[in-house]
Amino acid sequence: MGIYEELQARGLIAQVTDEERIRNLINNGEATFYIGFDCTADSLTAGHFMALTLMKRLQMAGNKPIALIGGGTTMIGDPSGRTDMRKMLTMEDIEHNAACFKRQMENFIDFSDGKALMVNNADWLLKLNYVELLREVGACFSVNNMLRAECYKQRMEKGLSFLEFNYMIMQSYDFYALFQKYGCNLQFGGDDQWSNMLGGTELIRRKLGKDAAAMTITLLTDSQGKKMGKTAGNAVWLDPNKTSPFDFYQYWRNVDDSDVLKCIKMLTFLPLDEIENMESWEGSQLNRAKEILAFELTQMVHGAEEARKAQEAARALFGSGANSENMPTTEITAADLTDGAINILDLMQKAGLIASKGEGRRLVQQGGVSVDDVKVTDIAKTCTAADFEKGHVIIKKGKKVFHKVVLK
C-alpha cells in the first residue's frame, strides 16, 4: 500500500485536482508540498492535528514538507468558516506567534538537513506593490468566480470586507511564489480551503504555463457534524501552559463512542490492521480504545512521560479518586480571598473552569459542580481558608473534569 492509498484508507482525502498525478507524486516521494498556518494565536490547537500528522506521514514517505507561516496573510485574515472579521494583529504579535508555532511543529516534522522547510509569506507578500500586484495577477481572477466560492458566499449576507476579499489572491500568490522559489508542486489544506487552493493552481497555470496540484483534507468532525478540537467552546491548545497535558489527554479520552475509531484512524500512526481489529470492540473495550487514542496523541504533543502521568492520573481519579498528583492545578493566595473566603464562581473562573459567571451559575443549578466530592447546590457557596487546610481543594466540573486549587 502506497501513502496515497493509506490516506484513502484512513479517510483523510476529501478533494483532489488530479488524483493520478497526486498519487504518483506522493507514492514516489516526489512531492514538495506545503500547508499554510496563519498566526492568529500563540499556540497551535488540536484543530491543527490533521495538518501536522499529514505532514509527518508524507515526510516519512520521502516527500518534502514546507510549513508556511502566514506572517503576511494573518494581516488580512481568512474569512473561511467565519461569521465575522478576524481580530487585526500587530506585526510583533504575528512574529511572536510564528516562533511559538515553530517550536510545536518540531514535535511532528523533521526540519534537520533540509528535510523540511519553514518559510514566512511575509517575506514576499509585504514587499508587493499594490498596483504592480494588480497588473501581475489581477487579470487572472474572475470576480464572478470568487463570489461563488463557499468561503465568500457565507459572508455575503452579513457583509464581506474588501480586506478579506483579497485573501484568496494572497493565498493563491503564496502557491505561485513557492512553486517558483522552491519547486513546490502540491498544496494541502482543509476542505474549507478548496476555492483558495484552486486559485493557486490556476494562477500558476496562467502565469507560468505549468501544472501544480492541490488536495484537501477531510475536516475532523464529531458524530453531530461539529468541528472537533474545542471543549466548552474553548480551543484545546498544544501549549501545555494553555491546555495542560492532563486536560489534553482527557479531551481525547472523553470523545463519543461513535467518534473514537475515526479519530484513531485519522490522527494516530497505529497500523491500519491493528485499527481494523478494534472495529468489533464495544462496551468497556471502547474505553480502552479511548485510552489508546488519548495516550497516542498526548505522547505526540507532550512526550511519553507526560502522557503516562496523564493516563495514571485519569485512571486514579476515575478509579478511587485518591491521586491528585498530576491533576491540573491553580494556585491562589490570601489576596484572592475576601474576608477569608472566595465564592465558588470566582474560584472556578480563576481556575479557568468557566468562561463567565453565567456559565458557572448554570453548572451549579444543573448539579454539575462538586468541591471535595460534595455537590455544590448554592451559587453563594464559598471556600474558606479552613477548606484549604489539607493543602488544596478539588473542584469537579461535570463528570470528568477535575481541578486542584492550592492556597499559598
Side-chain angles (χ1 to χ4, degrees), residues 71-215:
T73 41
T74 305
M75 299 190 78
I76 303 298
D78 183 4
S80 301
R82 301 281 298 191
T83 57
D84 56 359
M85 198 167 83
R86 292 183 185 273
K87 177 185 174 185
M88 300 290 283
L89 300 177
T90 66
M91 181 56 71
E92 291 74 20
D93 289 335
I94 293 170
E95 288 174 354
H96 170 73
N97 294 348
C100 295
F101 278 20
K102 182 175 183 186
R103 288 194 295 272
Q104 293 171 351
M105 287 178 181
E106 287 170 344
N107 290 329
F108 296 84
I109 305 161
D110 181 3
F111 289 98
S112 67
D113 304 322
K115 294 173 188 169
L117 297 174
M118 179 172 287
V119 296
N120 191 325
N121 63 17
D123 293 344
W124 53 84
L125 292 181
L126 299 189
K127 295 174 183 176
L128 292 171
N129 175 285
Y130 186 59
V131 173
E132 288 177 2
L133 175 68
L134 288 177
R135 288 176 63 87
E136 183 180 3
V137 305
C140 298
F141 290 87
S142 160
V143 172
N144 291 346
N145 288 340
M146 291 173 74
L147 290 176
R148 281 194 287 269
E150 283 301 319
C151 61
Y152 292 146
K153 278 168 63 176
Q154 63 189 6
R155 290 291 305 281
M156 291 302 288
E157 290 183 13
K158 290 195 173 183
L160 174 71
S161 71
F162 184 68
L163 177 74
E164 296 169 290
F165 188 64
N166 281 269
Y167 192 89
M168 183 185 291
I169 297 174
M170 297 294 97
Q171 184 170 334
S172 300
Y173 195 93
D174 283 343
F175 200 179
Y176 173 61
L178 291 169
F179 185 94
Q180 294 179 89
K181 190 164 185 173
Y182 301 106
C184 179
N185 50 21
L186 183 56
Q187 179 183 179
F188 291 92
D191 203 28
D192 53 354
Q193 295 289 311
W194 184 238
S195 299
N196 294 344
M197 294 163 70
L198 290 180
T201 60
E202 180 65 7
L203 181 60
I204 290 167
R205 186 189 67 79
R206 295 188 63 171
K207 293 295 295 180
L208 303 174
K210 303 284 181 66
D211 289 325
M215 185 186 104

Side-chain angles (χ1 to χ4, degrees), residues 242-271:
K242 295 168 80 76
T243 298
S244 72
F246 177 87
D247 285 336
F248 187 86
Y249 177 95
Q250 280 300 102
Y251 174 79
W252 298 107
R253 173 63 181 79
N254 293 335
V255 298
D256 288 341
D257 290 357
S258 56
D259 296 322
V260 59
L261 288 179
K262 176 177 70 175
C263 289
I264 289 176
K265 192 177 286 187
M266 287 181 152
L267 300 176
T268 76
F269 287 79
L270 295 178

